Amino acid sequence: MARVPNEAGEVERARALIKQGIRLSEQDRPVEALRAEEEAVAIYRRLAASDPGRFRADLAKTLYNLGVTLSGLDRSAEALRAEEESVAVYRELAASDPGRHRADLGDSLANLGVSLNELDRPAEAVRAQEEAVAIHRELAADDPHRYRLTLAESLARLGVTLSALERPAEALNVEREAVGLYRQLAAIDPERHRPDLAEALINLGVTFSEIGEPSGALSIEREAVGIRRELAAADPDQYRPELAASLDNLGSTLSVLGHDGDALDVQQEAVTLYRLLVADDPDHHRAGLAKSLTRLAATLSELDRPADALEAEQQAVTIFRDLAGADPDPDLADALFNLGFRFSELDRPAEALEAEQQAVTIYRKLAADGSEPHRRDLARCLVHLGASLSELDRDTEALEAEQQALAVYRDLAAADPESYRHDLAICLASVSMTHSALGRHADAVHAQQEAVTVYRLLVAADPDHHRADLAKSLTHLAIRFAELDRWADALEAEQQAVTIYRDLATADPGDHDHDLANSLLNVGVWFAELDRPADALEAEQQAVGVYRDLAAADPDRYDPDLARSLTHLGVTLSALDRHAEALEAEQQAVTIRRELAAADPDRHRPGLAESLKNLSVTLSELGYEKQARRTHEEAERLSED
């Protein structure tokens, strides 16, 4: 090949441009650095064409620098082209001289992975990053002092990409290794590497949460917070934002583990930090503050502080609305959806409805692109919108919203049954209830039958989960059958529910006893409707026995259920002409409901009146006419009040 004219001058010019690009990048002048690097690439491309043996390595290095600068300017597609060419050149160079160029190939592959991720191509990114890790692992084995940090950085990037690909088990192993390496580095040079260790710990904690092991995340996130707290104390400007983010993660994990009091302290500290950051720099950190307020609202709700939760959520909505402007923003939609929850907790359905309608409007715009996450969010919000409309006795509109959600969930579940069958079943149950409220009982049965079918599929695929959901769905189906006077069908569905609850209660005593008792009581009702009082009696006696045990341990919670079951038992005993036993059950029911009505008249007086009427009938059957009359008169007074 012909030599490039004035080759020496060209080489000198290219080297000067490279130095200039580095200097401009260090001065945070990337646009000027880019111009210098582009000219250097053009020169080395000419030189490499004429003498590849001398200049291809220089071309690859200059392309590497160009890719870094383009990536920093958010020009990911152009960065990718430069990095792909750099990788191709280094791959050829490393094949002929691995000792000299293998490290360069690893670094170039690592950068290529970053750009592929920025272009939302994680499957390709992970291949590049896995190759980079393999190269850096070999290098670190031979020279740990020089390459341990490079390996740790490559592992950290790979872990993030594996998480994005929903491969958390693989991410966990990779991130554990990265944390181990950063621990070694931080022990040698704490000032330089403790920030990296904290970041690696945060990523590892997030991955533990993704695989459903929040207890594993807890100690890791606490360690990260401890490191960042010390860093922020020494350099608030640089490390306060990272401390606030770490506190948010820790608060979320504490909340998932049910440590709501500790979560509240942590989240309040995070919100306080974000407020300081926003005060110092109004153009930044507002989104962080809003997200932190939303997490705080969720914890306040768990602590039964709905008014405080509402206030925090309203602040979050205000910030997200300002940030979004006229654009359909998913963060604003999520916050409005949460705001609907907060209003519902305070029994303010009209305001809940308004928030949810706004959220649905945004989700519709977002879902217009057909993406799965946005369609999922739209369907979820439509279900809750339907519930709020039902609360306001707007059942026709509620049904319309729920049927729209159902159509979306059907499509999602058809494409990904494992992820969406449960949501589909929940939506079908909502549709069934709304049909029932509208008096469309045949449609209600049809929807609930489909919900039961979906739950059976879920249980078949994963026997350890969803059995309680299936039992609950069967109970709802029984109620829907009863609305059509299909007592035999109701009984069959409820007996299946009892079988499941009995197994669950045996395997895990305490967790499902209440469900079992409630289902047994329903079986008694369906037997009674079929004029089978002896069978009803057996079921109701079992229900009373379970409720007695529950009420002995927690009377405030279970006394109403015990009284209800005793009332049913009394009626059944009377039907069997066992009036003396009926009297005993009904007197117990009256005693319990009298105490409940004294404490909360509005809630429990109707039940007391019902029990007194039943008692008066039984007293009369036993010949106690005077007592029967007084009891009946008391029941009438309570009913009039």
Side-chain angles (χ1 to χ4, degrees):
M1 291 186 182
R3 294 176 65 83
V4 173
N6 191 22
E7 180 181 284
E10 287 276 79
V11 171
E12 184 177 350
R13 171 67 177 161
R15 289 174 179 168
L17 286 165
I18 290 170
K19 290 179 182 178
Q20 183 183 10
I22 293 170
R23 186 173 63 253
L24 289 166
S25 293
E26 289 171 347
Q27 295 171 356
D28 196 22
R29 296 161 63 185
V31 175
E32 296 165 84
L34 178 65
R35 287 196 290 269
E37 288 165 354
E38 286 175 329
E39 186 178 348
V41 165
I43 294 170
Y44 276 126
R45 205 183 290 286
R46 292 195 298 271
L47 292 168
S50 66
D51 191 348
R54 283 183 63 196
F55 295 111
R56 292 196 79 212
D58 295 313
L59 173 61
K61 178 63 177 174
T62 312
L63 285 163
Y64 175 93
N65 292 341
L66 177 62
V68 171
T69 301
L70 286 164
S71 183
L73 289 166
D74 293 328
R75 293 166 63 174
S76 302
E78 296 165 87
L80 180 66
R81 288 193 292 272
E83 288 158 357
E84 285 177 328
E85 186 178 356
S86 175
V87 165
V89 176
Y90 274 133
R91 200 180 291 285
E92 292 178 7
L93 292 168
S96 59
D97 189 353
R100 183 177 176 191
H101 294 295
R102 194 150 171 76
D104 297 323
L105 174 59
D107 292 344
S108 197
L109 283 162
N111 274 4
L112 176 62
V114 171
S115 290
L116 286 165
N117 267 328
E118 288 172 350
L119 291 166
D120 197 24
R121 293 163 63 178
E124 296 166 81
V126 83
R127 289 194 289 272
Q129 290 170 334
E130 284 175 334
E131 187 179 356
V133 164
I135 293 169
H136 291 145
R137 197 188 300 285
E138 291 174 8
L139 294 167
D142 292 336
D143 189 351
H145 179 74
R146 182 175 180 185
Y147 290 108
R148 188 160 41 196
L149 174 59
T150 305
L151 174 58
E153 291 170 341
S154 289
L155 286 163
R157 293 190 193 102
L158 176 59
V160 171
T161 305
L162 288 167
S163 289
L165 287 168
E166 297 183 2
R167 293 162 60 181
E170 296 167 82
L172 189 70
N173 291 329
V174 166
E175 289 165 355
R176 274 176 164 158
E177 187 179 356
V179 165
L181 291 170
Y182 279 125
R183 281 197 199 285
Q184 296 172 21
L185 291 162
I188 297 166
D189 188 348
E191 185 175 349
R192 181 181 177 192
H193 295 299
R194 289 187 83 210
D196 299 324
L197 173 58
E199 182 69 22
L201 286 164
I202 286 294
N203 289 340
L204 180 58
V206 169
T207 302
F208 266 116
S209 296
E210 287 174 349
I211 64 170
E213 293 186 20
S215 56
L218 185 59
S219 60
I220 290 165
E221 290 171 350
R222 278 180 167 151
E223 183 181 358
V225 165
I227 294 170
R228 284 181 165 171
R229 200 184 293 285
E230 292 177 9
L231 293 169
D235 189 347
D237 290 343
Q238 182 170 354
Y239 292 110
R240 260 187 186 161
E242 294 179 352
L243 173 58
S246 298
L247 287 164
D248 260 345
N249 284 348
L250 177 58
S252 295
T253 299
L254 286 164
S255 183
V256 168
L257 289 168
H259 306 326
D260 294 314
D262 293 335
L264 180 64
D265 292 339
V266 169
Q267 288 165 338
Q268 285 175 324
E269 183 181 358
V271 166
T272 299
L273 279 176
Y274 276 121
R275 289 195 194 282
L276 291 171
L277 290 164
V278 170
D280 290 341
D281 187 353
D283 293 334
H284 296 87
H285 306 299
R286 295 186 74 207
L289 172 58
K291 290 175 183 177
S292 195
L293 283 163
T294 289
R295 295 186 184 100
L296 175 61
T299 299
L300 287 164
S301 175
E302 288 294 323
L303 290 167
D304 199 23
R305 294 171 56 180
D308 294 328
L310 175 64
E311 182 181 355
E313 200 73 67
Q314 285 174 316
Q315 291 178 36
V317 166
T318 298
I319 295 170
F320 281 131
R321 205 185 293 281
D322 288 346
L323 291 170
D327 297 327
D329 180 67
D331 289 328
L332 174 58
D334 291 345
L336 286 163
F337 176 76
N338 292 335
L339 183 60
F341 264 119
R342 306 298 161 235
F343 277 124
S344 294
E345 288 171 338
L346 289 164
D347 196 23
R348 295 163 63 176
E351 291 157 293
L353 177 65
E354 182 181 356
E356 289 160 356
Q357 285 172 325
Q358 293 179 41
V360 163
T361 298
I362 298 171
Y363 284 135
R364 282 196 200 282
K365 293 176 182 176
L366 293 167
D369 66 1
S371 70
E372 176 190 328
H374 291 148
R375 295 181 72 214
R376 176 200 64 211
D377 292 337
L378 172 60
R380 179 189 57 161
C381 195
L382 282 164
V383 170
H384 285 272
L385 177 64
S388 294
L389 287 162
S390 291
E391 283 290 318
L392 293 164
D393 296 325
R394 294 165 61 177
D395 295 309
T396 301
E397 296 166 84
L399 183 63
E400 182 182 354
E402 290 163 353
Q403 287 178 322
Q404 290 176 28
L406 183 59
V408 177
Y409 277 133
R410 283 196 198 283
D411 288 346
L412 293 172
D416 187 354
E418 186 176 347
S419 296
Y420 291 106
R421 268 184 179 155
H422 190 212
D423 294 313
L424 173 60
I426 292 170
C427 188
L428 283 162
S430 296
V431 168
S432 175
M433 291 181 68
T434 306
H435 275 308
S436 175
L438 288 165
R440 299 165 59 172
H441 300 303
D443 292 328
V445 165
H446 180 76
Q448 193 62 45
Q449 283 176 317
E450 188 179 352
V452 167
T453 298
V454 176
Y455 277 124
R456 289 197 197 281
L457 293 170
L458 287 164
V459 171
D462 188 353
D464 293 333
H465 296 87
H466 303 299
R467 292 189 72 208
D469 294 326
L470 173 57
K472 183 178 180 181
S473 192
L474 285 161
T475 290
H476 289 165
L477 178 59
I479 294 168
R480 301 288 86 82
F481 278 133
E483 290 168 345
L484 289 170
D485 295 339
R486 292 170 60 178
W487 309 114
D489 293 325
L491 177 62
E492 182 183 356
E494 198 71 70
Q495 285 175 320
Q496 292 178 40
V498 165
T499 299
I500 296 170
Y501 281 135
R502 207 183 291 281
D503 289 346
L504 291 169
T506 301
D508 194 357
D511 275 2
H512 297 285
D513 289 342
H514 180 258
D515 297 319
L516 173 59
N518 188 60
S519 201
L520 282 164
L521 196 57
N522 288 344
V523 165
V525 172
W526 312 142
F527 271 128
E529 292 291 347
L530 289 165
D531 197 22
R532 294 168 59 181
D535 294 315
L537 178 64
E538 182 182 356
E540 289 165 359
Q541 284 173 326
Q542 292 180 42
V544 167
V546 178
Y547 278 132
R548 280 199 198 282
D549 291 340
L550 291 168
D554 190 350
D556 289 343
R557 182 175 180 185
Y558 293 112
D559 269 352
D561 292 317
L562 175 57
R564 181 168 57 94
S565 65
L566 285 163
T567 297
H568 281 280
L569 179 61
V571 171
T572 300
L573 286 163
S574 289
L576 290 166
D577 294 328
R578 294 166 62 173
H579 300 297
E581 294 167 84
L583 179 66
E584 182 181 357
E586 289 164 356
Q587 284 174 327
Q588 291 177 36
V590 165
T591 299
I592 295 169
R593 282 180 161 171
R594 203 181 288 285
E595 291 177 2
L596 292 169
D600 190 346
D602 291 342
R603 182 178 177 190
H604 293 293
R605 270 184 180 167
L608 175 58
E610 176 196 19
S611 291
L612 286 165
K613 286 178 182 177
N614 290 342
L615 178 59
S616 72
V617 172
T618 301
L619 286 166
S620 181
E621 290 286 345
L622 289 168
Y624 303 128
E625 295 297 342
K626 189 174 181 181
Q627 290 173 266
R629 188 167 53 255
R630 285 202 302 268
T631 303
H632 181 75
E633 288 171 354
E634 183 183 358
E636 289 295 314
R637 286 197 302 273
L638 286 170
S639 297
E640 290 171 3
D641 290 344

